Amino acid sequence: KAGVTQTPRYLIKTRGQQVTLSCSPISGHRSVSWYQQTPGQGLQFLFEYFSETQRNKGNFPGRFSGRQFSNSRSEMNVSTLELGDSALYLCASSSTSANEQFFGPGTRLTVL
Amino acid sequence: AQSVSQHNHHVILSEAASLELGCNYSYGGTVNLFWYVQYPGQHLQLLLKYFSGDPLVKGIKGFEAEFIKSKFSFNLRKPSVQWSDTAEYFCAVTKRVRNTGNQFYFGTGTSLTVIP
């Protein structure tokens, strides 16, 4: 099976812009979660989607949003970018609740 | 609020030394527990997991972890580390409650450097 894929792998944006990141889960996986990884903070949970519905949400401002499509692919959007949004954004998929998560390579976002 | 604590932020060991990385969590209910590893330049990948049964679980590459419910701990161990174990290690917990979905709580990670 192909693994979790994320596009793009690298992004450079300026403050105030918006960005959309994409994630394709492993075939058959219906749960997709997004994380922000920064040095010293570890992985911070953003949200989880299951069957096109947001099932869990972390403690991030409303500038961070996401959606999931009927084929389980997911997108994450960040509006009005701030310098502090620079991070590695990871997507993970799993087949059932609380099961093992499989991670993608991440999208490295740099905000200038 | 949920939290996962990894008390060792940076660990430096010589090859063949024994390793123990601490992980404590705060949730009082039934949990699933995981250790993930991130080798330099690679994806996060699962080392081992505990759902139920024998609290001593064995994972890949000679790693094992012990779940001690009374201590809310899930420490990772390896009797003899190798240079190739240099990586960042993350402990993670999910609550095992029906229909709550898949919210994983991760620790901040432990960076392990093994000196040849």
Side-chain angles (χ1 to χ4, degrees):
Chain A
K1 272 185 182 178
V4 178
T5 58
Q6 292 186 246
T7 57
R9 294 292 311 278
Y10 302 92
L11 264 180
I12 299 175
K13 294 285 188 180
T14 56
R15 278 182 299 175
Q17 287 187 307
Q18 77 163 28
V19 67
T20 299
L21 314 181
S22 182
C23 171
S24 292
I26 291 171
S27 177
H29 285 188
R30 293 164 65 189
S31 169
V32 174
S33 298
W34 288 90
Y35 296 86
Q36 182 192 68
Q37 185 179 12
T38 54
Q41 294 289 319
L43 278 76
Q44 303 286 309
F45 174 77
L46 281 154
F47 25 68
E48 183 219 359
Y49 285 87
F50 185 87
S51 294
E52 302 179 67
T53 301
Q54 187 180 88
R55 194 161 62 171
N56 284 291
K57 189 177 190 306
N59 193 25
F60 276 79
R63 300 185 297 105
F64 292 82
S65 63
R67 59 179 175 167
Q68 187 180 34
F69 303 94
S70 58
N71 62 358
S72 293
R73 190 177 69 84
S74 178
E75 286 182 348
M76 190 192 95
N77 186 76
V78 188
S79 62
T80 320
L81 284 166
E82 300 176 1
L83 294 178
D85 297 333
S86 294
L88 181 67
Y89 289 89
L90 294 170
C91 168
S93 75
S94 70
S95 58
T96 59
S97 291
N99 206 334
E100 173 187 351
Q101 291 197 324
F102 294 83
F103 283 83
T107 294
R108 172 75 62 185
L109 172 64
T110 301
V111 182
L112 302 176
Chain B
Q2 301 303 304
S3 71
V4 178
S5 299
Q6 291 183 241
H7 308 294
N8 317 99
H9 298 294
H10 300 281
V11 173
I12 301 174
L13 294 172
S14 298
E15 274 193 319
S18 64
L19 170 72
E20 180 159 3
L21 302 182
C23 173
N24 289 89
Y25 62 95
S26 64
Y27 181 62
T30 305
V31 294
N32 292 334
L33 299 156
F34 306 81
W35 275 97
Y36 282 84
V37 61
Q38 190 172 33
Y39 297 104
Q42 294 189 27
H43 304 191
L44 270 163
Q45 58 184 278
L46 183 72
L47 264 182
L48 47 78
K49 60 187 177 185
Y50 173 80
F51 287 178
S52 64
D54 188 345
L56 184 63
V57 293
K58 295 194 184 301
I60 61 172
K61 304 187 181 186
F63 286 91
E64 64 179 32
E66 185 176 12
F67 170 51
I68 303 179
K69 189 175 181 180
S70 61
K71 295 185 178 180
F72 299 90
S73 71
F74 190 55
N75 292 354
L76 181 71
R77 300 194 292 247
K78 185 171 184 178
S80 176
V81 295
Q82 300 173 308
W83 175 78
S84 58
D85 294 324
T86 295
E88 188 137 19
Y89 293 80
F90 294 91
C91 179
V93 174
T94 61
K95 295 184 286 186
R96 193 142 31 104
V97 178
R98 191 184 299 177
N99 298 326
T100 60
N102 230 358
Q103 184 157 356
F104 275 60
Y105 299 89
F106 279 83
T108 53
T110 297
S111 173
L112 171 66
T113 300
V114 180
I115 301 169

